[in-house]
């Protein structure tokens, strides 16, 4: 649908004029020269800017949208941190400067920041010292477990080969322990969503090297026995590892070291507001207490009388990563910590907990909480009751959120909760944003609860409970499993109305949305051609030009019509998965129009299906229809008339060459009629015909931008409208 930059290329067009050559021209050997010119795109500067700006608008990022991903802490990345990280003294440093003693003087500022940042992290964590080397959270886990292994090895306590990990832990915990050479034993959770304390005590023994805990845990609860767990582990000779994935809930409130942990990692890209995911890289800095400090990765930055220097400790586990890890991520996190200060960090974690509990309170009546009680930084809900009653899974809820322009929450994690929906709003989201998200979730819950009514003659837009199919790929034909979107959205500009319909089809075909029903009625008259018709054969061009009536071409087939007030359009995007009839052109018209005819009959209107694509009352046309077909979906353009200016039709439209038999030789004014129903009643009839929900939604965030761009590039382009 959208052209690549190469497809937009126009020979001879350029964006800049290169300056005259001011150096000797290089002569390439003949063997290295191309036989043909390099096929680079040729475009104006404006077209280049628009092309890449448009691509950037298709991205999903925290600066534009809300991420409710549980256990991910997708908080806002403050721009002050970006400004600090871009300072030339940091951004311009060569990574190898600190590798040579001769150049240490040139990077004293950077070394000071590493030194101070490690001290800040140690203070926040209640530890003795920190290390910035680990490059990500899982890398920090591995580093911490290797410290535990080195500690036991140094004490000649080599029989300790087991790490205890709760069943609700992140999957990287057992993976990190296994990579470090340990066996893993699972600690079960109890019915309150916390560690089964008796089961934990039973697992302790002389072979346990350490215990890895996330606190608060991934059920969203602070472990009430955490201090007792640490004391028992230490009494048994084991060490405690703190997974800092959920530190945002207790940052500034309490310190893992004070709770009894010996080593921990920080997700700088989560807790301290640095870019996350593809905006990364991440950083899994660690901190350790006094017993593990000798084993920290080297080299370490130390302060001397002459400034900052590097030191390799004798018992170190060695280097875990070069160049002090993701240095510029640490710079951003340092700026964040210094900007907020101790009280600011405490306030941030308090607001994160408040926001999570607000979401929990708003949603727990429509999506039950997995466990009773108030949560910490994230709330854990479940779609399991809907799955049991209606066959609606967490995956369907997530896709329905995407249809409404929201990023989905974390689903199917933790594995301890069936059909889990984990939501972490963070402290940086406003009440208005959270309300909009909760409203969407509540609407989806209502649709899901009503999706399997005994009276429904056709399949629900949600999957059947008996379905054993795996989740469809984004580009599969299983879009019918998504809830149908209903839009009631009209634009003053005819071209934007036509373009949005094509964008809705494209969204379904690309897998970012499912079926759709859109109602629209243009407030100004315009003539619209079918995709293959010729202007000179169908349109009275002089009259249109004289009266200022635009002439446009739609993407679907069918005849030339006059649109405007009194013409209610319903644009249907339907998946072929609905049934085999939709794959055949004639049968698909019958499938759609017969359903509408049935709903009109319940309102006392006896309509007949005429020709291939018309509905008529008493032999006069009241609805015209056309289609555009893609690989997995069909776009059905339908118009129902409730008010019409038949004389205007005769003024702007020529008599068509191809006429359905039932028309005969009748002119427009005696062939076309109107339905005896108002637009609101017609909307209800069409909704009922396709079991469409009563609630209307807005387009996806980028669909409107795409429609306006497509209107300019295609629907207002004379090359499209006047093509022969």
């Amino acid at each position: 649908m959208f052209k690549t930059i190469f497809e937009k290329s126009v020979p001879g067009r350029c964006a800049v004029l290169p300056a005259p050559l001011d150096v000797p021209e290089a002569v390439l050997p003949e063997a290295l020269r191309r036989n043909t010119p390099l096929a680079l795109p040729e475009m104006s500067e404006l077209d280049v800017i628009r092309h890449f700006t448009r691509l950037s608008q298709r991205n999903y990022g925290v600066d534009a949208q809300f991420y409710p991903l549980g256990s991910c802490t997708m908080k806002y990345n403050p721009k002050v941190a970006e400004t600090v990280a871009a300072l030339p003294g940091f951004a311009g440093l060569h990574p190898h400067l600190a590798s040579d003693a001769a150049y240490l003087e040139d990077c004293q500022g950077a070394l000071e920041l590493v030194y101070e940042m490690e001290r800040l992290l140690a203070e926040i964590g209640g530890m003795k010292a920190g290390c910035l080397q680990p490059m990500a959270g899982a890398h920090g886990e591995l580093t911490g477990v290797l410290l535990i292994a080195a500690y036991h090895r140094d004490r000649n306590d080599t029989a300790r080969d087991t790490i205890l990990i709760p069943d609700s832990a992140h999957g990287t915990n057992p993976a990190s322990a296994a990579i470090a050479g340990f066996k893993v034993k699972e600690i079960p959770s109890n019915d309150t969503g916390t560690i089964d304390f008796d089961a934990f005590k039973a697992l302790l023994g002389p072979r346990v090297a350490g215990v890895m805990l996330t606190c608060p845990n991934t059920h969203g609860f602070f472990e009430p026995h955490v201090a007792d767990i640490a004391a028992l582990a230490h009494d048994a000779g084991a060490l405690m590892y703190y997974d800092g994935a959920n530190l945002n809930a207790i940052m500034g409130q309490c310190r893992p070291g004070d709770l009894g942990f010996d080593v921990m990692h920080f997700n700088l890209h989560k807790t301290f507001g640095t870019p996350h995911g593809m905006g990364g890289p991440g950083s899994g800095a660690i901190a350790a207490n006094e017993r593990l400090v000798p084993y920290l990765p080297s080299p370490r930055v130390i302060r001397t009388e002459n400034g900052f220097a590097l030191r390799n400790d004798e018992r170190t586990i060695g280097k875990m990563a070069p160049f002090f890890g993701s240095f510029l991520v640490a710079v951003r996190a340092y700026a964040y910590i210094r900007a907020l200060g101790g009280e600011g960090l405490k306030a941030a974690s308090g607001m994160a907990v408040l926001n999570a509990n607000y979401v929990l309170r708003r949603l727990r009546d429509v999506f039950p909480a997995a466990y009773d009680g108030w949560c910490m930084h994230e709330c854990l809900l479940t779609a399991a009751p809907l799955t049991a009653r209606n066959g609606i899974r967490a995956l369907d809820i997530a896709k329905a959120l995407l249809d409404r322009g929201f990023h989905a929450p974390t689903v199917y994690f933790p594995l301890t909760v069936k059909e889990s929906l984990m939501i972490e709003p963070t402290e940086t989201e406003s009440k208005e944003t959270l309300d909009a998200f909760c409203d969407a979730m509540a609407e989806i819950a209502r649709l899901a609860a009503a999706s399997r009514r005994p009276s429904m003659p056709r399949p629900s837009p949600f999957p059947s409970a008996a379905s054993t199919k795996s989740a469809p790929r984004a580009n599969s034909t299983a879009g019918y499993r998504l809830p149908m979107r209903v839009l009631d959205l009209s634009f003053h500009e005819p071209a934007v109305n036509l373009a949005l319909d094509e964008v809705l089809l494209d969204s379904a075909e690309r897998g970012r949305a499912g079926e759709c029903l859109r109602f629209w009625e243009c407030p100004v008259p315009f003539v619209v051609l079918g995709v293959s018709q010729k202007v000179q054969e169908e349109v009275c061009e002089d009259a249109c030009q004289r009266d200022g009536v635009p002439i446009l071409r739609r993407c679907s087939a069918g005849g030339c019509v006059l649109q405007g007030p009194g013409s209610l359009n319903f644009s249907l995007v339907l998946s072929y998965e609905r049934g085999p009839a939709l794959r055949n052109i004639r049968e698909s018209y019958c499938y759609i129009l017969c359903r509408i005819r049935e709903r009109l009959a319940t309102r006392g209107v006896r309509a007949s299906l005429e020709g291939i694509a018309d509905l008529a009352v008493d032999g006069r046309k009241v609805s015209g229809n056309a289609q555009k077909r893609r690989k997995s979906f069909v776009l059905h353009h339908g118009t129902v008339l409730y008010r019409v200016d038949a004389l205007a039709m005769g003024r702007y439209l020529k008599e068509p060459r191809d006429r359905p038999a039932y028309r005969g030789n009748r002119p427009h004014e005696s062939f076309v009629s109107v339905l005896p129903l108002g637009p609101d009643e017609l909307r209800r009839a069409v909704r009922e015909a396709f079991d469409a929900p009563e609630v209307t939604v807005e387009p996806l965030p980028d669909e409107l931008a795409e429609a306006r761009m497509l209107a300019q590039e295609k629907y207002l382009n004379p090359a499209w409208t006047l093509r022969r």
Side-chain angles (χ1 to χ4, degrees), residues 200 213 225-235 238 240 259-262:
F200 164 74
L213 288 188
H225 297 294
V226 61
D228 296 330
I229 289 171
L232 287 174
H234 290 149
D235 289 345
M240 294 291 296
L259 298 175
F261 289 92
D262 301 289

Side-chain angles (χ1 to χ4, degrees), residues 559-628:
C560 182
V561 298
L562 178 65
Q563 282 278 355
S567 300
L568 177 65
N569 294 278
F570 62 94
S571 304
L572 273 166
V573 177
L574 297 178
S575 168
Y576 298 144
E577 292 292 300
R578 268 188 176 257
L582 287 174
R583 298 183 181 274
N584 179 280
I585 294 177
R586 282 181 174 271
E587 291 182 14
S588 65
Y589 279 116
C590 181
Y591 176 96
I592 292 168
L593 296 179
C594 287
R595 280 160 175 73
I596 295 175
R597 183 181 63 181
E598 291 171 6
R599 304 322 301 168
L600 293 176
T602 65
R603 290 161 170 82
V605 178
R606 296 179 62 85
S608 59
L609 179 58
E610 301 290 347
I612 297 176
D614 290 353
L615 283 178
V617 174
D618 297 329
R620 299 181 69 176
K621 179 178 178 179
V622 294
S623 173
N625 299 266
Q627 292 183 355
K628 178 178 177 62

Side-chain angles (χ1 to χ4, degrees), residues 366 439 441-451 695:
V366 291
D439 289 344
M441 287 284 285
E443 176 209 342
I444 292 166
R446 288 194 297 271
L447 293 175
S451 67
V695 179

Side-chain angles (χ1 to χ4, degrees), residues 12 41 94 102 107 113 120 189 334 363 398 406 413 540 598 718:
H94 192 286
C107 53
L113 186 140
L120 284 173
S189 298
Y334 179 80
L363 295 181
F406 289 97
F413 178 79
C540 300
E598 291 171 6

Side-chain angles (χ1 to χ4, degrees), residues 145-201:
V145 178
L146 288 175
L147 295 184
I148 292 174
Y151 170 81
H152 290 303
R153 188 167 55 248
D154 208 24
R155 293 162 54 87
N156 202 30
D157 199 357
T158 55
R160 297 186 180 272
D161 60 357
T162 301
I163 299 288
L164 303 184
I165 301 175
D167 56 3
S168 62
H170 295 96
T172 51
N173 282 191
S176 298
I179 291 173
F182 288 101
K183 300 174 184 176
V184 174
K185 287 189 177 180
E186 186 177 276
I187 310 169
S189 298
N190 57 28
D191 56 7
T192 67
T194 57
I195 284 177
D196 186 321
F197 191 51
D198 291 334
F200 164 74
K201 289 189 291 185

Side-chain angles (χ1 to χ4, degrees), residues 527-530 532-541 551 553 558-561 652-659 668 721-724:
V527 171
V528 60
L529 293 146
S532 60
Q533 292 185 305
K534 298 178 180 179
V535 174
Q536 67 273 22
E537 294 179 356
E538 305 290 340
V539 184
C540 300
E541 296 179 73
I551 303 172
R553 184 185 299 276
C560 182
V561 298
Y652 302 126
L653 305 180
K654 294 180 179 180
E655 294 298 328
R657 292 185 177 186
D658 298 325
R659 305 174 179 222
H668 295 297
T721 303
L722 302 178
R723 69 179 190 169
R724 301 179 184 275

